[in-house]
Amino acid sequence: MDRDDVCVLLPTLDEAETVGSVIDGFHDEGFEHVLVVDGHSTDGTQEIAREHGARVVEQSGVGKGQAVREGLTYIDEPIVLMADADGTYRPADAERMLAPIFDGRAEHVIGDRFADMEDGAMTRLNRLGNGLVNRAFAFIHGRDLRDILSGYRAFTRDSVERYSLRSDGFGIETELSVESVKHGTGTEVVPITYGARPDESETNLHPVRDGANIFLTLYKLAKTNNPLFYFGSVGSVSGLVGLLVAAYVGYDFLVNDISHEALAVVAAAGILLGVQLVMFGVLSDIIVTVNREQTRRLEELAEQLSPDRSSAPGASPESDQPPRDTAASEGSGKADHSGEHDDPVGTPPTEVGADGED
């Protein structure tokens, strides 16, 4: 395992209490390339990160997702190891995270926090929310990745360049998981240890607000990966409401001889809308299936024409695809860390040198 081919990516926001020890931990494991993308911390996070030998970039926007997307534009190494700087993930697990990529088994690796979670590492509310999100993901996208919200990930730059990443907040992990399934990226889940945050370190996650945003992100992404669920779920609800209203109208007319013309129109509209949405979902699903088959054939052709790609670190023959522009290079809309967008044009990224000057 050549650690020079790996860049450790750490998005940060006010992590002065833990960022130094996290950077030292990865250096002790032999990883010299550590990139910190800081979201305008006010507690000295940038200075501490530089003192501990990390390369520091001040984020042009705000939000974890935007930090990850922007950080990818600064990385030249073929493999990225993404983690949080809050001390909850262990650098000692890095070799386990990277082994599937270097062995050629996967291009995307997710660390399963639930395999070995320390007491107090996650509240009951967060456990419940994570469980619901993982079950919803498995149902909607047909793949059980066990911990899609894990922030400890390893992936090849070639694979992530095919993804369309747009999230600015904590929905970035959900997007990475959905895109890996959508593009057929070889993905493996490995057990890791997930620790509790130090007492002096405060989380930037707001369970209810960010949880709602994650569910919304998960549902919106079903539009291109599972359109039958996306349109069919709305159509089923519309049709069910229409049938219930129609049943009430029919009962009141037959039993009490009372007619409800307006409600009858509403019931008919609801049923027709539901049927149309379900049909649209079926047609969209057929289009997506055909597109995937064409993409698979193009991948096979690209593999035959470019045999050298299979020798690159972490390359996976069965999931190799022609790269396309990554969303990390798109304009960085501004949003807070909850993933809310207000979408102005971001200022150009600023790299902070070792002496603190731009």
Side-chain angles (χ1 to χ4, degrees), residues 96-97 99-101 105-111 143 145-146 154 185-190:
R96 183 183 299 173
M97 293 285 298
I101 295 179
R105 304 195 308 267
E107 287 186 284
H108 193 117
V109 181
I110 300 174
R143 180 82 185 274
L145 296 180
R146 298 205 292 272
T185 305
T187 304
E188 190 167 317
V189 182
V190 301

Side-chain angles (χ1 to χ4, degrees), residues 98-107 314-318:
L98 293 166
I101 295 179
F102 280 96
D103 291 344
R105 304 195 308 267
E107 287 186 284
S316 176
E318 60 272 10

Side-chain angles (χ1 to χ4, degrees), residues 119-305:
D119 293 338
M122 189 178 294
T123 65
R124 289 184 178 181
L125 179 60
N126 285 343
R127 279 178 177 268
L128 175 63
N130 274 262
L132 292 175
V133 169
N134 286 311
R135 288 185 180 88
F137 179 89
F139 177 76
I140 296 172
H141 299 283
R143 180 82 185 274
D144 185 7
L145 296 180
R146 298 205 292 272
D147 190 9
I148 71 163
L149 300 182
S150 174
Y152 207 3
R153 294 170 182 258
F155 46 81
T156 63
R157 272 200 316 122
D158 283 345
S159 67
V160 81
E161 282 174 354
R162 302 193 297 265
Y163 297 170
S164 178
L165 303 177
R166 295 184 175 86
S167 176
D168 283 341
F170 286 103
I172 187 65
E173 289 91 354
T174 304
E175 271 195 336
L176 285 168
S177 300
V178 171
E179 289 291 312
S180 68
V181 173
K182 176 181 175 181
H183 290 274
T185 305
T187 304
E188 190 167 317
V189 182
V190 301
I192 61 170
T193 299
Y194 186 64
R197 294 177 65 99
D199 293 337
E200 63 275 10
S201 177
E202 295 184 3
T203 181
N204 296 309
L205 178 69
H206 302 279
V208 177
R209 184 180 63 189
D210 292 327
N213 181 67
I214 289 168
F215 272 108
L216 181 60
T217 299
L218 186 61
Y219 180 75
K220 289 192 298 184
L221 292 175
K223 179 169 57 178
T224 54
N225 193 48
N226 188 355
L228 181 57
F229 171 83
Y230 181 82
F231 294 105
S233 58
V234 179
S236 298
V237 171
S238 176
L240 180 60
V241 171
L243 287 172
L244 291 175
V245 174
Y248 168 74
V249 170
Y251 174 83
D252 221 18
F253 179 76
L254 294 175
V255 175
N256 301 319
D257 197 26
I258 299 175
S259 61
H260 299 280
E261 290 83 359
L263 287 179
V265 172
V266 171
I271 294 172
L272 289 174
L273 177 62
V275 171
Q276 289 177 337
L277 285 174
V278 171
M279 291 178 61
F280 188 76
V282 171
L283 292 174
S284 299
D285 193 65
I286 294 173
I287 294 172
V288 168
T289 301
V290 172
N291 179 69
R292 285 174 178 165
E293 178 62 21
Q294 291 177 338
T295 301
R296 184 186 65 80
R297 293 181 180 180
L298 288 174
E299 291 172 6
E300 293 175 352
L301 179 61
E303 182 181 348
Q304 294 172 3
L305 297 177

